[in-house]
């Protein structure tokens, strides 16, 4: 029986400082993807699941689509987990030329449609983008909150449309702020700390491993 292949995709939150070589100490980065792969890799060692991280810092949905042949289809994953959105939002909030039009939903839908066409058997996990009111996000909170809330609704809707598993994350981070301040979890309002990555990984595992796409 061939081992299950799991692909993590996204921006810097997924990238986690991963190496670009075959060094198994660093190839998964130091974030939530590493934590998930560590836990499941140990628990399911007899089945030898394979985990790939192709997150790239600074990416938007359109950037994912531009490299999807090499960084998704070529890998032939059984499950693809996507966490994306804060860079799409940030470039619009900050008035950058690359944010002149909002292509988030259009590009995301196109990416998912093509994925189902090329890899019809692959499971899809769509993670909700999230922010907290601290750091750079806190400086323009209303604009950030409005845009990311819109993206959260979009991702939830796309998950329903493409029969993907949706991983809610905003409420998880909001609730965690009752235990420690926002910067303890997301140091700049966007990027998780070590504790934040563990919180994210725990929520991912609790949702995915209780779903029809459970890795086993």
């Amino acid at each position: 029986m061939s081992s299950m292949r799991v692909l993590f995709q996204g921006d810097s939150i997924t990238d986690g400082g991963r190496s670009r070589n075959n060094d198994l100490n660093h190839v998964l980065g130091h974030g939530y993807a590493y934590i998930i792969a560590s836990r499941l890799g140990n628990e399911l060692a007899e089945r030898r699941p394979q985990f790939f991280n192709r997150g790239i810092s600074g990416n938007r949905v359109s950037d994912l689509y531009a490299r999807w042949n090499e960084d998704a289809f070529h890998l032939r994953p059984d499950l693809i987990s996507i966490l994306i959105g804060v860079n799409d939002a940030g470039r619009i909030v900050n008035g950058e030329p690359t944010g002149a039009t909002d292509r988030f939903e259009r590009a995301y839908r196109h990416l998912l449609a093509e994925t189902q066409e090329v890899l019809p058997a692959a499971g899809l996990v769509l993670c909700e983008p999230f922010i907290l009111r601290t750091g750079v996000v806190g400086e323009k909170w209303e604009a950030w909150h409005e845009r990311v809330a819109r993206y959260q609704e979009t991702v939830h809707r796309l998950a329903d449309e493409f029969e993907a598993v949706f991983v809610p994350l905003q409420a998880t981070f909001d609730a965690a702020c009752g235990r420690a301040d926002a910067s303890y979890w997301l140091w700049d309002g966007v990027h998780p700390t070590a504790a934040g990555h563990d919180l994210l990984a725990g929520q991912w595992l609790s949702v995915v491993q209780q779903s029809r796409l459970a890795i086993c």
Side-chain angles (χ1 to χ4, degrees), residues 40-118:
L40 294 179
N42 178 26
E43 294 175 0
L44 305 172
E46 292 78 9
R47 300 183 68 86
R48 296 182 177 273
Q50 295 179 276
F51 299 91
F52 302 87
N53 183 351
R54 291 296 185 273
I56 295 182
S57 181
N59 268 195
R60 298 159 293 163
V61 174
S62 55
D63 298 309
L64 262 60
Y65 180 73
R67 59 184 179 81
W68 215 236
N69 275 332
E70 299 91 333
D71 286 345
F73 297 151
H74 175 71
L75 297 171
R76 309 298 296 180
D78 300 294
L79 185 147
I80 303 173
S81 174
I82 303 172
L83 171 57
I84 199 74
V86 292
N87 289 310
D88 295 79
R91 297 187 191 197
I92 292 172
V93 169
N94 294 323
E96 297 179 24
T98 50
T101 62
D102 191 340
R103 297 174 176 172
F104 183 77
E105 182 169 358
R106 182 183 304 174
Y108 212 147
R109 176 175 282 105
H110 194 51
L111 181 148
L112 294 174
E114 188 167 328
T115 299
Q116 286 196 336
E117 177 184 335
V118 178

Side-chain angles (χ1 to χ4, degrees), residues 10-46:
D11 50 37
S12 57
I13 300 171
T14 302
D15 185 323
R18 66 180 178 87
S19 66
R20 266 53 173 178
N21 54 34
N22 294 320
D23 182 349
L24 295 183
N25 280 325
H26 305 289
V27 72
L28 287 171
H30 57 246
Y32 76 94
Y34 177 84
I35 297 170
I36 293 168
S38 299
R39 204 166 303 174
L40 294 179
N42 178 26
E43 294 175 0
L44 305 172
E46 292 78 9

